Amino acid sequence: MDDNNNSVAKNSRSGGSADANGFWTAKDVELATGGEWLQAPPQDWRATGLSIYAPAMQPANMAVVRTEKDTCGMPEAAVHTMLQQPACLITTAPEELTNPQVPVLKISDGTEAVLSLGRYARNQMAGKVIGVTGSAGKTTCVAMLAGALSAWGSVCKSAFNANLPRGVAWNLASVPWDAPFAVLEMAIGRMGISARMARPHIAVFTNIQPAHLGEKDTLRDIAVTKSAIFSGMTPGSIAVLNRDMLEWETVREAAEKRQLTILTYGESSGCDFQLLKYEADTHRVTVNAQGQTLSYVPGAGGKHMAINSLAVLATVAALGLPLAPATEKLALFQALAGRGEESSILLNGQRITVLDDAYNANPGSMAAALERLSETQPAGRRIAVLGEMAELGRDTQRYHTEMAALINRSQIDRVYLAGEAYAECWQQIDNARKGEFVASHLALKPLLLNTLQEGDVVLFKGSHSTRIHELVRWMSALNK
């Protein structure tokens, strides 16, 4: 579990012994899972949490090992390569393990064991749990909120975007039971299971956008499904809602039905936390925070980042904490890789600024990224490199075509589009802004090498499946 004092794995092969930071006992694990210890831990054994994904392992974590019949967890081969062995192995088929050197717990079902460990951990937790959902901005909001709350001590937050039920459970199981705050990212998939397990004290709802849409799905369907985050909350708990989001009434009604206290944020008049002004050149934000005027400069630029900072302030207020320490922490926040991270690279001897927003895309996040690019003041040109937006349902073509109007109204100088969904969009873009329209992201490599000039700012944006993120890695590798 990430916090503001990240652990570093020690260069040791030992495992299965006591850990000074551990909070899981052997009895806790047994009670939570209903499993059976085949190689019992020593009496002073403690574990620091759980992992089902090898790259996320932390010292003294328990490791769930998959089998041919139960695919929950990591392969045993990954365990053998770890510098520090897990506190224990949890598996449905211990007989398949190769000479385990740590305690082994036999379980009947991997997924159910992980969920049970999450539920058990949640029952032991003394701090506040904050769940964050929405169609875009979840991961950024989680990181921004965790950074702000670090003014009051250690904060645990979701690791590796593990935001579906098994990931939520694994993250919950890795939160120290005395941690003051846990900030969890919670995705639309099987939201009810995640919500009833996490039982947030506060739910932050960033927005509703066309994303994860099937051919017959509507935005209301998305709003209803995401609103299941409220199903794990008790009356009087707090919902922090973006007043400007699509399907506002649907989400508000769901919160009210659960008898939650609602705090609103956004640009609309009457919001509890209202954005009064955003200065693009300095990133300065002026806010009406429940009648108090605040001014601060977040470390990450873009109006969408300013809006996210309002969600953070609303949450801090909901926790009964003062806002000043939070604004100081917001000044330190930097956009995450794939989610707006800004970097400077040297390409063929020319200094280029890269805006890496290539982790994913939907119409709302695409518009925000284009606005962010448009407001930059580069020495060179503003260039957008865009991949398709996936899972937009029956209106895929329309959503892509609508980007043309945004581009034509912007200060963007050149646009490169990859993917057939942009065919009509390309026709509607002003000729003076046209770079190239290609079928695959790979075709953009030679074009960019020949086009980019000193002082250019380049935005990379597209759904993960379009692999625009690979262009960012490729360009970074050329940095010299």
Side-chain angles (χ1 to χ4, degrees):
M1 192 70 169
D2 291 346
D3 58 30
N4 61 335
N5 293 297
N6 288 332
S7 300
V8 178
K10 298 176 182 177
N11 187 12
S12 170
R13 296 290 296 174
S14 65
S17 57
D19 187 279
N21 297 316
F23 44 93
W24 283 98
T25 67
K27 188 64 175 177
D28 287 321
V29 178
E30 194 174 20
L31 287 172
T33 62
E36 176 187 1
W37 288 108
L38 301 186
Q39 292 178 223
Q43 189 172 1
D44 62 350
W45 180 92
R46 296 290 185 276
T48 58
L50 179 71
S51 184
I52 60 177
Y53 179 53
M57 279 291 296
Q58 296 296 309
N61 271 186
M62 302 175 280
V64 180
V65 177
R66 68 173 62 177
T67 67
E68 287 188 11
K69 293 183 178 180
D70 191 327
T71 58
C72 178
M74 64 189 73
E76 186 190 5
V79 175
H80 294 311
T81 65
M82 293 176 182
L83 294 177
Q84 181 170 346
Q85 287 291 283
C88 71
L89 302 180
I90 300 174
T91 182
T92 57
E95 67 279 3
E96 296 179 9
L97 298 176
T98 305
N99 191 27
Q101 300 298 306
V102 296
V104 176
L105 182 80
K106 181 178 181 180
I107 54 171
S108 58
D109 182 89
T111 294
E112 187 51 43
V114 170
L115 296 179
S116 295
L117 287 163
R119 295 185 191 106
Y120 187 94
R122 177 63 183 87
N123 288 338
Q124 315 308 312
M125 291 166 57
K128 296 294 185 180
V129 176
I130 302 155
V132 179
T133 195
S135 298
K138 293 187 296 295
T139 303
T140 293
C141 192
V142 164
M144 191 180 283
L145 185 51
L149 290 176
S150 69
W152 292 276
S154 177
V155 182
C156 294
K157 64 181 178 67
S158 292
F160 286 83
N161 307 117
N163 54 24
L164 294 170
R166 286 194 302 199
V168 172
W170 141 42
N171 278 295
L172 278 170
S174 300
V175 176
W177 296 342
D178 60 353
F181 307 107
V183 187
L184 301 175
E185 181 175 332
M186 300 171 67
I188 190 171
R190 290 160 287 164
M191 175 64 87
I193 295 174
S194 296
R196 289 186 289 276
M197 175 170 47
R199 305 199 314 277
H201 297 96
I202 300 173
V204 180
F205 213 123
T206 61
N207 49 53
I208 292 293
Q209 296 289 347
H212 308 298
L213 287 170
E215 287 299 315
K216 297 182 179 180
D217 291 333
T218 66
L219 284 178
R220 187 178 186 281
D221 294 332
I222 298 296
V224 169
T225 305
K226 284 187 177 290
S227 293
I229 192 172
F230 305 140
S231 67
M233 302 172 71
T234 57
S237 298
I238 299 173
V240 175
L241 308 182
N242 183 342
R243 179 62 183 85
D244 304 322
M245 68 176 144
L246 299 173
E247 292 295 329
W248 154 256
E249 291 294 342
T250 301
V251 177
R252 178 187 60 78
E253 288 173 7
E256 288 180 345
K257 185 176 181 180
R258 198 68 186 176
Q259 300 178 53
L260 304 181
T261 298
I262 296 174
L263 284 179
T264 57
Y265 69 95
E267 297 184 79
S268 295
S269 176
C271 285
D272 296 301
F273 290 80
Q274 182 188 2
L275 180 65
L276 299 177
K277 186 177 182 181
Y278 171 68
E279 300 173 37
D281 54 342
T282 63
H283 306 162
R284 179 166 293 280
V285 176
T286 304
V287 179
N288 179 350
Q290 294 180 311
Q292 175 187 4
T293 300
L294 300 177
S295 182
Y296 55 93
V297 180
K303 183 184 281 188
H304 61 300
M305 292 293 186
I307 297 295
N308 277 332
S309 76
L310 301 188
V312 170
L313 294 184
T315 304
V316 169
L319 290 166
L321 300 171
L323 299 182
T327 59
E328 292 174 5
K329 291 293 185 180
L330 287 172
L332 304 176
F333 178 79
Q334 295 295 312
L336 307 176
R339 295 172 171 86
E341 182 181 55
E342 181 175 334
S343 62
S344 177
I345 68 170
L346 201 61
L347 186 66
N348 295 331
Q350 300 180 98
R351 183 63 60 183
I352 309 294
T353 298
V354 173
L355 299 180
D356 174 16
D357 210 340
Y359 181 79
N360 224 332
N362 60 47
S365 67
M366 183 69 80
L370 292 172
E371 182 179 19
R372 168 77 177 98
L373 173 63
S374 184
E375 72 184 24
T376 61
Q377 301 294 325
R381 300 166 299 171
R382 306 172 188 86
I383 297 175
V385 179
L386 309 180
E388 292 179 341
M389 300 172 284
E391 296 183 292
L392 298 185
R394 58 180 176 266
D395 290 324
T396 292
Q397 194 72 41
R398 175 174 66 82
Y399 286 126
H400 283 82
T401 302
E402 286 174 351
M403 293 298 115
L406 295 178
I407 292 166
N408 289 338
R409 291 196 302 267
S410 75
Q411 299 299 313
I412 296 171
D413 299 293
R414 290 286 186 278
V415 180
Y416 293 81
L417 302 180
E420 291 304 316
Y422 280 117
E424 183 61 28
C425 176
W426 179 253
Q427 296 301 318
Q428 295 184 22
I429 291 175
D430 296 340
N431 288 333
R433 303 176 194 269
K434 288 183 176 179
E436 291 287 344
F437 173 42
V438 299
S440 166
H441 72 291
L442 295 175
L444 292 172
K445 289 184 177 182
L447 296 173
L448 293 174
L449 280 177
N450 292 329
T451 299
L452 295 180
Q453 303 171 1
E454 177 75 25
D456 285 348
V457 176
V458 190
L459 166 70
F460 291 90
K461 182 71 173 174
S463 285
H464 197 75
S465 59
T466 67
R467 299 164 71 179
I468 293 294
H469 59 278
E470 293 180 1
L471 294 177
V472 178
R473 288 204 301 269
W474 162 74
M475 190 169 285
S476 297
L478 295 176
N479 182 21
K480 56 184 178 180

